[in-house]
């Protein structure tokens, strides 16, 4: 039986809330719950994780819920395992990928960044969340006033981890871009366990996996692909170790160029490069459109004589990925939107 049920950061905030007497009484009988500690372990869930998930499924997340869960879940983060009380509230989230997963799980978020461009980041039943800064810069004053029980961050806010950890238990749940499928699957699983939504998380993952299987059945022997980002008049290409590598590693679409340098913002390329590489399929991320810049769209930029010579352009096999692919890569709705788009594109060639 675990005797340490709350982290040292969260104990004060937790026990200020109502139901103190019930919590103290329940502590003696509480068993600490643990999630999987590595992405590879999710396909064969250990018995203790299954017990944790069954217990978790009896709970529900409600915004500003004053009830305190004495059960804890060990969440695997970039910083290692973090033991956190189930259903932390108030909850603050600074990552759009996490917000997508939580929205799909119908989990309320009490504080989130302002100025977000996507419309699938909030649970349908939740009250309007409070603004707590941006995805790059937290509002520490607002956070201190809110006194969250947990702060969840991803890649864009990860560098602020130390500052946020001084306010509340902070979980860096950044996606591993070199292995985006396993990493995102692992994270969805852990969120389900943490918020008592394990069955729903498994159902959502099943939706993703079904789309992957259906798409893979259509991509076989259909030619090579190249992933590019269009940012104004600039182009960059992405390989199989990038955040867009799932197109090659998960969907089994061969790379048109196997020598693309692994870089966070892609390898800078030219229109001549596209002509020379001559992909059969071109997968395009329009960065300017995703962040709301008023510039020429990717379709207009690519509509030139050099790109027109590629097999992808000649055969109308240019696939434009969603804004989510740039802003919320690895999130539930990003998977669903882009897999559906790719599936439909390949189905039209049958």
């Amino acid at each position: 039986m675990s005797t340490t049920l709350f982290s040292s950061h969260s104990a004060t905030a937790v026990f200020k809330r109502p139901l103190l007497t019930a919590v103290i009484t329940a502590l003696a009988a509480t068993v600490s719950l643990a999630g999987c500690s590595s992405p590879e372990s999710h396909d064969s869930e250990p018995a203790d994780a299954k017990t944790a998930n069954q217990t978790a499924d009896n709970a529900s997340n409600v915004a500003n819920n004053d009830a305190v869960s004495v059960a804890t879940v060990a969440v695997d983060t970039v910083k290692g395992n973090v033991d956190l009380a189930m259903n932390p509230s108030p909850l603050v989230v600074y990552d759009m990928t996490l917000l997508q997963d939580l929205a799909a799980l119908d989990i309320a978020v009490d504080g989130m960044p302002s100025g977000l461009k996507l419309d699938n980041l909030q649970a349908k039943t939740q009250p309007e969340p409070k603004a707590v800064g941006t995805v790059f810069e937290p509002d520490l004053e607002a956070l201190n006033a809110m006194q969250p029980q947990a702060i969840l961050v991803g890649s864009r806010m990860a560098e602020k981890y130390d500052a946020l950890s001084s306010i509340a238990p902070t979980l860096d749940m950044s996606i591993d871009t070199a292995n985006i499928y396993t990493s995102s699957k692992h994270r969805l699983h852990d969120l389900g366990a943490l918020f008592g939504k394990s069955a729903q998380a498994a159902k959502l993952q099943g939706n993703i996996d079904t789309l992957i299987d259906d798409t893979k059945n259509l991509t076989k022997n259909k030619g090579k692909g190249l992933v590019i980002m269009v940012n104004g008049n600039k182009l960059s290409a992405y390989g199989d170790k990038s955040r867009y590598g799932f197109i090659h590693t998960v969907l089994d679409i061969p790379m048109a160029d196997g020598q693309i340098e692994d870089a966070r913002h892609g390898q800078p390329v030219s229109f001549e490069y596209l002509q020379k590489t001559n992909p059969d399929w071109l997968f395009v991320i329009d960065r300017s459109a995703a962040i709301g810049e008023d510039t020429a769209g990717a379709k207009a930029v690519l509509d030139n004589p050099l790109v027109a010579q590629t097999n992808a352009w000649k055969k109308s096999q240019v696939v434009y990925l969603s804004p989510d692919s740039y802003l919320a890569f690895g999130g539930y709705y990003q998977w669903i939107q882009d897999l559906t788009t790719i599936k439909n594109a390949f189905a039209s060639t049958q």
Side-chain angles (χ1 to χ4, degrees):
M1 176 179 297
S2 171
T3 56
T4 305
L5 299 180
F6 301 96
S7 72
S8 59
H9 293 292
S10 61
T12 301
V14 169
F15 288 107
K16 283 183 178 179
R17 304 174 71 82
L19 303 184
L20 176 59
T21 303
V23 172
I24 294 174
T25 303
L27 280 173
T30 299
V31 177
S32 206
L33 306 181
C36 294
S37 61
S38 65
E40 290 74 16
S41 65
H42 290 237
D43 293 333
S44 55
E45 227 177 6
D48 58 342
K50 290 181 179 179
T51 301
N53 292 340
Q54 290 168 358
T55 304
D57 282 333
N58 294 325
S60 62
N61 171 265
V62 181
N64 301 313
N65 182 13
D66 286 332
V68 178
S69 171
V70 295
T72 63
V73 173
V75 182
D76 188 14
T77 76
V78 172
K79 305 288 186 180
N81 279 355
V82 176
D83 291 328
L84 195 66
M86 286 179 59
N87 292 314
S89 178
L91 173 68
V92 171
V93 182
Y94 279 104
D95 178 68
M96 281 184 271
T97 306
L98 281 165
L99 287 168
Q100 281 203 354
D101 287 348
L102 292 168
L105 288 167
D106 198 27
I107 294 167
V109 173
D110 301 279
M112 59 189 292
S114 59
L116 301 182
K117 304 295 182 181
L118 303 178
D119 59 3
N120 48 22
L121 304 178
Q122 295 184 33
K124 295 178 181 179
T125 57
Q126 79 168 73
E128 187 64 25
K130 295 179 180 178
V132 288
T134 70
V135 290
F136 297 102
E137 192 65 39
D139 184 338
L140 299 182
E141 184 176 344
L143 285 174
N144 276 301
M146 182 179 291
Q147 288 294 297
Q149 287 190 5
I151 302 173
L152 309 185
V153 302
S155 56
R156 293 178 174 89
M157 186 62 82
E159 64 182 37
K160 304 291 185 180
Y161 177 88
D162 290 340
L164 294 171
S165 295
S166 68
I167 297 174
T170 300
L171 282 64
D172 182 354
M173 302 181 75
S174 298
I175 286 281
D176 177 6
T177 55
N179 197 359
I180 192 170
Y181 170 76
T182 301
S183 182
S184 64
K185 177 179 180 179
H186 181 204
R187 188 163 68 174
L188 182 58
H189 169 278
D190 281 358
L191 290 174
L194 180 61
F195 292 98
K197 300 276 190 166
S198 290
Q200 178 67 7
K203 180 179 179 180
L204 295 176
Q205 188 61 50
N207 295 340
I208 294 171
D209 290 343
T210 296
L211 266 176
I212 288 174
D213 290 341
D214 291 346
T215 304
K216 285 173 64 174
N217 287 334
L218 297 170
T219 62
K220 294 177 181 178
N221 303 317
K222 291 296 178 60
K224 298 180 179 181
L226 178 68
V227 183
I228 64 168
M229 179 179 292
V230 178
N231 183 17
N233 288 320
K234 297 178 181 179
L235 308 177
S236 53
Y238 289 83
D240 57 357
K241 294 180 178 60
S242 73
R243 69 188 98 167
Y244 309 110
F246 74 91
I247 288 175
H248 307 297
T249 60
V250 176
L251 300 182
D252 296 337
I253 300 171
M255 296 175 62
D257 177 8
Q259 304 301 316
I260 297 174
E261 297 176 3
D262 183 22
R264 180 177 181 180
H265 299 292
Q267 173 184 305
V269 296
S270 63
F271 295 117
E272 289 81 5
Y273 167 86
L274 297 183
Q275 177 198 31
K276 180 179 179 181
T277 305
N278 192 25
D280 299 298
W281 292 87
L282 194 60
F283 301 92
V284 181
I285 303 101
D286 190 337
R287 180 184 180 276
S288 298
I291 64 176
E293 288 186 349
D294 187 16
T295 61
K299 292 182 180 180
V301 172
L302 294 173
D303 189 4
N304 65 68
L306 291 172
V307 178
Q309 295 178 44
T310 64
N311 289 336
W313 195 270
K314 292 176 182 177
K315 297 179 180 180
S316 297
Q317 294 179 168
V318 180
V319 181
Y320 295 90
L321 302 180
S322 68
D324 305 57
S325 65
Y326 179 70
L327 297 173
F329 54 90
Y332 175 74
Y333 293 112
Q334 183 265 315
W335 276 116
I336 296 300
Q337 289 182 91
D338 287 329
L339 287 171
T340 299
T341 297
I342 296 169
K343 173 188 171 183
N344 291 340
F346 277 84
S348 67
T349 67
Q350 298 300 306

